[in-house]
Amino acid sequence: MSAPKTTAGIKVPPFTRDDFGLWKMKMLLFIKASNPLYIGILGNIPFVPMKPVSESTAPDGRRIPQGIQPKDITEYTDSDKELIRLDTGLMLILADSADKEMSYQLMNCTSGKHMWDTINLIMEGTEDIQENRLDILTSQYEAFRSMPGESITQVFEKYTKLLNELAMKGKTYPLRESNRKFMMTLPHHVEHKSSSIRERIDFTKMSLEMIYGKLKTYEMEQEQRVIIYGSGTVDSKHNALVRSAALVVDEPITSEIQVVRYNC
């Protein structure tokens, strides 16, 4: 059976335990695209059609005060039916995305919100667990550093993944702070370029992606310089191998490849 699709023909994101944060982001986007009203369902108590009840007297003489009570299904209005269909549609999307193990956990859920809350509780834990996870992520952010031999792309991907995980937990950092943090943790081979970027007047307003793009361009230029001239400052493992290949191309092949580094 194929997965339900939106009018744009986009399939329901399949549930993944290995990267729940990524699935959650995709699912929220899919839900919004399917019907913007679904998001409201996730944040509210399940809809139950209700009707007012006038004050009355029970057969035993007890007084029944005025109030409200659930409607009988025969009393549903068209508006009631539409809201119920919305909730059922959301339940279908979540059920279709879930894997076999998660489906068993959702079998007794009675609403879309109930299913969504159950998935989040199973995958993210209680509030105490989530707070502990946030503390761990915050510590990782504060101690973030590039590792020897990493390229600018590897550092950027790790850093943005960490920022996104923090954002999913409700913690964000001002652009100025996140930019400076990133620039202070870069590999040595882009130090010259990072210094020139930090000195720009608009540095604090630049997006992290724009900064990465400029650094990546610089790194690629350095790689080309190594290949053409046999010297440079690129120190990542991959680039060192490229450089060594350019330097020993005319030398006899030996059983071991030695990586030769030259400093400018």
Side-chain angles (χ1 to χ4, degrees):
M1 179 178 178
S2 61
K5 299 180 179 180
T6 66
T7 53
I10 304 173
K11 292 184 178 180
V12 175
F15 179 74
T16 172
R17 296 173 182 270
D18 295 335
D19 200 339
F20 175 71
L22 182 61
W23 172 85
K24 187 174 181 179
M25 179 200 71
K26 289 182 178 180
M27 178 55 74
L28 286 172
L29 290 173
F30 182 87
I31 288 173
K32 289 179 182 178
S34 299
N35 192 323
L37 296 178
Y38 284 156
I39 296 298
I41 295 176
L42 294 180
N44 297 312
I45 60 175
F47 173 73
V48 178
M50 306 293 286
K51 66 178 181 180
V53 178
S54 302
E55 182 178 329
S56 60
T57 303
D60 59 1
R62 288 184 301 105
R63 180 183 173 188
I64 302 176
Q66 179 180 351
I68 58 174
Q69 67 180 30
K71 291 180 180 179
D72 183 81
I73 191 171
T74 60
E75 300 175 304
Y76 286 179
T77 65
D78 290 341
S79 178
D80 293 335
K81 294 176 183 178
E82 180 60 28
L83 290 173
I84 291 174
R85 276 194 292 268
L86 278 174
D87 193 51
T88 304
L90 178 58
M91 292 178 70
L92 179 60
I93 289 175
L94 294 173
D96 189 79
S97 173
D99 58 19
K100 184 176 181 180
E101 291 74 16
M102 183 59 72
S103 294
Y104 286 127
Q105 302 297 325
L106 303 178
M107 288 180 65
N108 294 323
C109 292
T110 57
S111 68
K113 177 175 172 55
H114 191 183
M115 294 176 74
W116 181 255
D117 290 345
T118 298
I119 293 173
N120 280 276
L121 181 61
I122 292 173
M123 297 304 301
E124 296 184 332
T126 62
E127 290 186 6
D128 289 341
I129 294 176
Q130 292 185 46
E131 288 179 3
N132 183 59
R133 176 59 178 162
L134 178 58
D135 290 340
I136 293 174
L137 290 172
T138 302
S139 297
Q140 291 177 352
Y141 172 82
E142 293 172 350
F144 186 85
R145 295 288 186 277
S146 62
M147 302 299 293
E150 284 186 321
S151 67
I152 184 63
T153 297
Q154 291 171 319
V155 178
F156 174 75
E157 289 177 347
K158 287 198 311 180
Y159 187 70
T160 52
K161 183 176 185 294
L162 181 57
L163 287 179
N164 289 334
E165 288 180 348
L166 283 163
M168 290 292 291
K169 300 296 182 183
K171 186 164 187 175
T172 59
Y173 294 89
L175 184 62
R176 178 189 182 94
E177 179 180 342
S178 60
N179 282 356
R180 289 192 180 279
K181 176 68 175 177
F182 178 66
M183 299 298 283
M184 296 301 293
T185 62
L186 294 175
H188 174 71
H189 67 272
V190 293
E191 182 177 342
H192 176 73
K193 183 63 175 179
S194 65
S195 297
S196 66
I197 293 176
R198 287 199 303 270
E199 292 171 357
R200 291 180 51 151
I201 297 177
D202 61 343
F203 166 64
T204 57
K205 298 180 181 179
M206 295 173 65
S207 69
L208 196 58
E209 291 75 16
M210 182 180 294
I211 293 174
Y212 162 71
K214 292 182 178 298
L215 291 169
K216 180 62 178 177
T217 300
Y218 175 78
E219 185 180 68
M220 293 174 65
E221 290 173 348
Q222 290 296 95
E223 291 177 9
Q224 289 300 311
R225 180 182 177 186
V226 169
I227 294 173
I228 296 173
Y229 300 107
S231 63
T233 59
V234 182
D235 293 329
S236 69
K237 180 178 180 181
H238 169 72
N239 295 328
L241 291 174
V242 171
R243 179 171 49 199
S244 67
L247 293 174
V248 302
V249 64
D250 295 326
E251 296 180 8
I253 298 176
T254 60
S255 59
E256 295 183 356
I257 297 177
Q258 294 183 345
V259 178
V260 181
R261 288 191 173 89
Y262 286 85
N263 295 320
C264 290

